[in-house]
Amino acid sequence: MSSGFINTIRTLSPTMKYILVTGGVISGVGKGVIASSFGTLLNCCGIDVTSIKIDPYINIDAGTFSPYEHGEVYVLDDGGEVDLDLGNYERFLDISLCRDNNITTGKIYKQVIEKERRGDYLGKTVQVVPHITDAIQEWVEKVAQRPVKGDKKPQVCIVELGGTIGDIEGMPFVEAFRQFQFRVKRENFCVAHVSLVPMPRATGEPKTKPTQSSVRELRGLGLSPDLIVCRSERPIGIEVKDKISNFCHVAPEQVICIPDLSSIYHVPLQMESNGVLNFLKERLQLDFVDPKQTMQSWRELAYRVDNTRGEVKISLVGKYTKLEDSYASVSKSLQHAALAAGFKLSLKFIEACHLERDFKKENQLLYYQAWQELCDSNGVVVPGGFGSRGMEGKIRACQWCRENKKPFLGICLGMQAAVIEFARNIIGFEGANTTEIDPNVAHPLVIDMPEHHPGIMGGTMRLGKRTTVFKDNCTSTIKKLYGSPKSVDERHRHRYEINPKYVPQLEEAGLKFVGTDEEATRMEIVELKDHPYYVGVQYHPEYLSRPLKPSPPFMGLILASVGKLKGYLNKGCRLSPKEMSDNSSDEEVVAISKPNKQLTNGTHKHCSNGATSSSNDEYEK
Ligand code: GLN
């Protein structure tokens, strides 16, 4: 955001409605999913929704985060590296957010300090109240207006405040919203407080005290909850709901109970059946269309999650496998595709270094377990990553998939690993490698891009949405999966690329580069001939997959893994419900994965965003 934007605020829409979602008791109770579900429900009523995630930490963005600490770094169209919660919003609401939709304390302070340095405060003492709190309010008001789907201005903005009420870091934000409620007027602002109702085994009954205390704390800071969303392990009874209503001074219909559910797709439905829409309609004076029809697709999705029978086993060979959130978008994309194909996803995380020859000496049991899991799977993903740890294991996984005709999808580093493996074992470039791991390697199959200035913090990655152009007249599975467009736009996050010098040799040997950047110098998609599905993409398709619009490369992997890819492609990217092995009785052939129109281009479009990155997860070796 340009630091001078505070001065340039135009007349703002008086009708923008805000739902602030706060958390009580503990974090990690699914506040992000609840907040996204508010959006889904409103979307189903024909309302355009945007969202802002506030992370009260000091970091400017998530670019420097270790995936072990925070889960994956989520990348946006504009190259913003943000908290993975933004992914929930994009997926649930099918929208595209920008870096300013993620606010951190660091971003706010940076802006205020820059203003102070420019002398914009005219010699005044610059303080948390009013300067930081003003900057927060203005940022929220400004970003809320930005279109997130087409060019229509959103009508409702969901603001999720990270952490829990009472956290010292969150205080300026709470104070900003205390003021904000008066600035935008009551009918345009409401608060949903997501709390936990624990059920300790010792007592065997739900306990409301923690919720009471956190609501009291919220009120003490000047914000009153309009809705109290109670998260619990099991459903809680009416008497508990009444108790919370009594002790927290809200009407019973303002207490929403969301127990653990079989899938996140049930959350919007459960909230709807708790009367959330009616409440919001009145409280925010919203005009709705009846959501019955539009909610049907969510209902079907939730039903499908619970009722698919066939299983597809996918192995993810990665480096941060101890925290599954490190691969949140990849897992979600696999789930979207599996569901669309009518299969239950069984996803196994394999620690890449456990597949390495040297590791066998260290721990035979884990070595054989990892290989058994790999051999047992129907398909394999090697996702993105940084640094040397596990690289040889990833390369071995690629080799195994290539030689055994196992469906394979390599993403970013995964694609680089596949190309290195091919060069080593098919062309005979022993020791071929990426300069990321060995800067002086004899056969540098993967090299630094000009964007990469080692040692300089910033401007060191190619980030965000870029165009990939399919080569003319190429027969490509992946192109067909996308619906045969001329080009596709996908998001990137990398510093290294395939060395163009080796491309003719690799192609000659059967590894085809079917998609490049617009200048045809950067290799974006690689496909192996005479293999059921062996695809590598330099971009990250996982960031644009949606529950109802699965990402084509993932769709290809899943379908190939269950032996249905050919039929699907022959029918123009369609499968009959029968083929999908689900419970549907409809005999007609139905489209299950229309190529995401947002992703495909009819023309070659230049896409530059000047995105930069200050660092990356290679800190986590
Ligand atoms: N480390 C590799 C690069 O920078 C791959 C990055 C990734 O997988 N996101 O090019």
Side-chain angles (χ1 to χ4, degrees):
M1 169 160 308
S2 84
S3 47
F5 87 94
I6 291 175
N7 304 327
T8 58
I9 289 184
R10 285 155 299 178
T11 328
L12 298 170
S13 162
T15 55
M16 174 60 71
K17 312 279 179 182
Y18 298 88
I19 302 174
L20 174 68
V21 182
T22 57
V25 187
I26 56 167
S27 59
V29 290
K31 180 153 47 93
V33 173
I34 302 277
S36 311
S37 300
F38 277 115
T40 302
L41 286 178
L42 293 169
N43 249 343
C44 290
C45 299
I47 291 181
D48 290 312
V49 182
T50 183
S51 80
I52 294 175
K53 168 80 201 289
I54 298 176
D55 288 307
Y57 44 67
I58 313 278
N59 305 59
I60 296 285
D61 61 31
T64 53
F65 279 163
S66 151
Y68 269 144
E69 201 167 316
H70 289 267
E72 75 176 4
V73 175
Y74 192 79
V75 179
L76 299 171
D77 278 357
D78 67 357
E81 296 174 286
V82 295
D83 188 273
L84 57 83
D85 278 339
L86 279 268
N88 272 334
Y89 291 106
E90 287 205 335
R91 284 186 284 265
F92 267 64
L93 306 177
D94 192 14
I95 54 176
S96 293
L97 300 169
C98 64
R99 68 180 77 221
D100 292 343
N101 289 78
N102 194 190
I103 305 180
T104 67
T105 295
K107 279 186 187 174
I108 296 286
Y109 270 79
K110 184 167 178 270
Q111 189 192 68
V112 170
I113 290 168
E114 277 169 7
K115 259 183 98 174
E116 186 272 334
R117 292 289 83 186
R118 281 200 311 269
D120 291 2
Y121 294 110
L122 307 172
K124 288 210 175 68
T125 311
V126 181
Q127 293 175 298
V128 173
V129 183
H131 301 101
I132 294 293
T133 48
D134 277 355
I136 294 167
Q137 294 176 66
E138 281 152 13
W139 189 302
V140 167
E141 235 175 340
K142 166 114 178 175
V143 171
Q145 314 287 322
R146 286 208 185 146
V148 286
K149 204 189 244 174
D151 21 80
K152 246 173 97 198
K153 212 157 73 173
Q155 295 155 279
V156 172
C157 177
I158 294 168
V159 186
E160 181 191 342
L161 176 58
T164 45
I165 287 299
D167 292 350
I168 193 161
E169 291 184 314
M171 288 301 183
F173 292 100
V174 175
E175 170 57 18
F177 286 105
R178 189 195 63 75
Q179 296 172 19
F180 195 71
Q181 62 189 332
F182 304 112
R183 176 171 170 152
V184 297
K185 306 253 166 15
R186 182 178 153 75
E187 66 275 20
N188 298 324
F189 180 87
C190 72
V191 179
H193 187 63
V194 183
S195 184
L196 176 76
V197 177
M199 297 181 175
R201 255 190 223 122
T203 59
E205 54 178 38
K207 290 287 169 200
T208 63
K209 210 27 104 26
T211 298
Q212 293 176 40
S213 322
S214 81
V215 169
R216 198 179 311 119
E217 188 149 18
L218 183 68
R219 283 225 169 81
L221 297 168
L223 287 170
S224 268
D226 295 284
L227 286 170
I228 300 174
V229 183
C230 300
R231 287 281 296 108
S232 57
E233 240 173 81
R234 280 167 285 129
I236 54 176
I238 188 81
E239 55 306 331
V240 182
K241 200 168 158 162
D242 285 345
K243 192 170 173 189
I244 293 173
S245 147
N246 264 333
F247 283 90
C248 297
H249 315 287
V250 292
E253 65 268 23
Q254 288 171 272
V255 183
I256 310 294
C257 300
I258 309 288
D260 290 352
L261 296 166
S262 58
S263 84
I264 53 172
Y265 305 120
H266 281 287
V267 178
L269 304 171
Q270 181 89 14
M271 282 167 66
E272 211 275 317
S273 61
N274 269 260
V276 165
L277 275 176
N278 284 340
F279 178 83
L280 289 179
K281 187 175 184 175
E282 242 171 64
R283 176 66 181 77
L284 293 176
Q285 299 174 10
L286 288 163
D287 264 342
F288 277 4
V289 296
D290 187 356
K292 254 197 205 88
Q293 284 284 313
T294 38
M295 284 199 63
Q296 194 51 28
S297 46
W298 277 92
R299 232 168 250 132
E300 279 167 18
L301 196 66
Y303 177 84
R304 196 173 264 193
V305 178
D306 295 343
N307 293 286
T308 41
R309 284 173 301 188
E311 194 182 67
V312 52
K313 290 185 199 158
I314 301 290
S315 293
L316 183 151
V317 179
K319 171 177 164 189
Y320 316 109
T321 52
K322 278 189 212 101
L323 178 66
E324 296 187 2
D325 261 0
S326 307
Y327 298 108
S329 293
V330 173
S331 319
K332 297 254 154 73
S333 306
L334 288 166
Q335 266 161 23
H336 301 160
L339 268 184
F343 284 82
K344 212 183 239 354
L345 174 71
S346 160
L347 180 59
K348 291 266 177 333
F349 292 84
I350 300 179
E351 189 63 39
C353 61
H354 292 183
L355 297 171
E356 292 172 4
R357 275 197 190 89
D358 289 350
F359 188 76
K360 191 173 165 186
K361 290 174 225 138
E362 216 173 287
N363 192 328
Q364 278 211 22
L365 181 65
L366 286 182
Y367 176 83
Y368 284 117
Q369 263 173 3
W371 274 102
Q372 178 161 9
E373 248 160 33
L374 190 74
C375 295
D376 203 29
S377 54
N378 306 117
V380 174
V381 184
V382 178
F386 294 85
S388 59
R389 187 168 65 80
M391 186 61 173
E392 287 305 315
K394 290 174 191 175
I395 290 174
R396 289 195 87 194
C398 297
Q399 181 180 2
W400 183 81
C401 289
R402 183 178 55 73
E403 291 175 347
N404 293 285
K405 301 232 180 291
K406 276 287 161 189
F408 165 85
L409 177 62
I411 299 171
C412 208
L413 188 69
M415 163 176 166
Q416 297 170 359
V419 173
I420 292 169
E421 186 279 317
F422 192 84
R424 284 185 190 176
N425 299 318
I426 296 293
I427 304 192
F429 291 155
E430 230 175 272
N433 217 330
T434 159
T435 53
E436 177 174 5
I437 292 172
D438 183 356
N440 304 314
V441 64
H443 288 293
L445 260 291
V446 179
I447 49 171
D448 303 45
M449 290 186 292
E451 286 92 334
H452 183 198
H453 314 286
I456 297 175
M457 304 290 274
T460 64
M461 275 215 233
R462 182 169 176 246
L463 283 165
K465 193 153 138 178
R466 313 276 174 146
T467 299
T468 293
V469 181
F470 287 104
K471 280 206 185 135
D472 284 340
N473 310 321
C474 70
T475 43
S476 149
T477 302
I478 194 91
K479 182 175 174 178
K480 281 192 203 149
L481 280 164
Y482 274 104
S484 300
K486 280 192 174 144
S487 63
V488 288
D489 283 353
E490 293 272 12
R491 296 178 182 171
H492 292 70
R493 184 173 188 247
H494 65 127
R495 292 198 176 97
Y496 299 85
E497 61 176 332
I498 305 299
N499 190 344
K501 194 176 101 182
Y502 291 102
V503 167
Q505 247 172 308
L506 293 163
E507 290 217 305
E508 180 94 348
L511 197 60
K512 301 286 180 200
F513 292 88
V514 297
T516 64
D517 70 341
E518 287 164 300
E519 281 75 42
T521 52
R522 287 196 162 144
M523 301 306 119
E524 291 279 4
I525 311 175
V526 66
E527 244 179 70
L528 185 63
K529 263 180 44 189
D530 306 323
H531 191 287
Y533 191 79
Y534 194 88
V535 169
V537 287
Q538 186 59 78
Y539 51 79
H540 290 267
E542 67 269 27
Y543 295 131
L544 291 182
S545 181
R546 304 285 182 259
L548 296 168
K549 289 182 201 157
S551 160
F554 287 96
M555 201 64 208
L557 176 73
I558 295 290
L559 288 167
S561 301
V562 295
K564 291 181 190 293
L565 180 60
K566 263 201 189 128
Y568 177 78
L569 293 175
N570 287 342
K571 287 187 193 121
C573 295
R574 284 157 191 266
L575 276 186
S576 67
K578 229 177 171 184
E579 287 170 305
M580 288 158 59
S581 77
D582 70 0
N583 299 335
S584 170
S585 58
D586 186 358
E587 285 297 318
E588 260 176 55
V589 171
V590 290
I592 58 168
S593 163
K594 295 195 195 84
N596 190 339
K597 284 278 180 289
Q598 263 189 315
L599 310 182
T600 57
N601 279 342
T603 52
H604 303 184
K605 194 178 71 196
H606 184 67
C607 181
S608 83
N609 55 30
T612 62
S613 162
S614 52
S615 190
N616 62 52
D617 40 8
E618 65 197 325
Y619 285 129
E620 179 47 58
K621 294 279 186 216

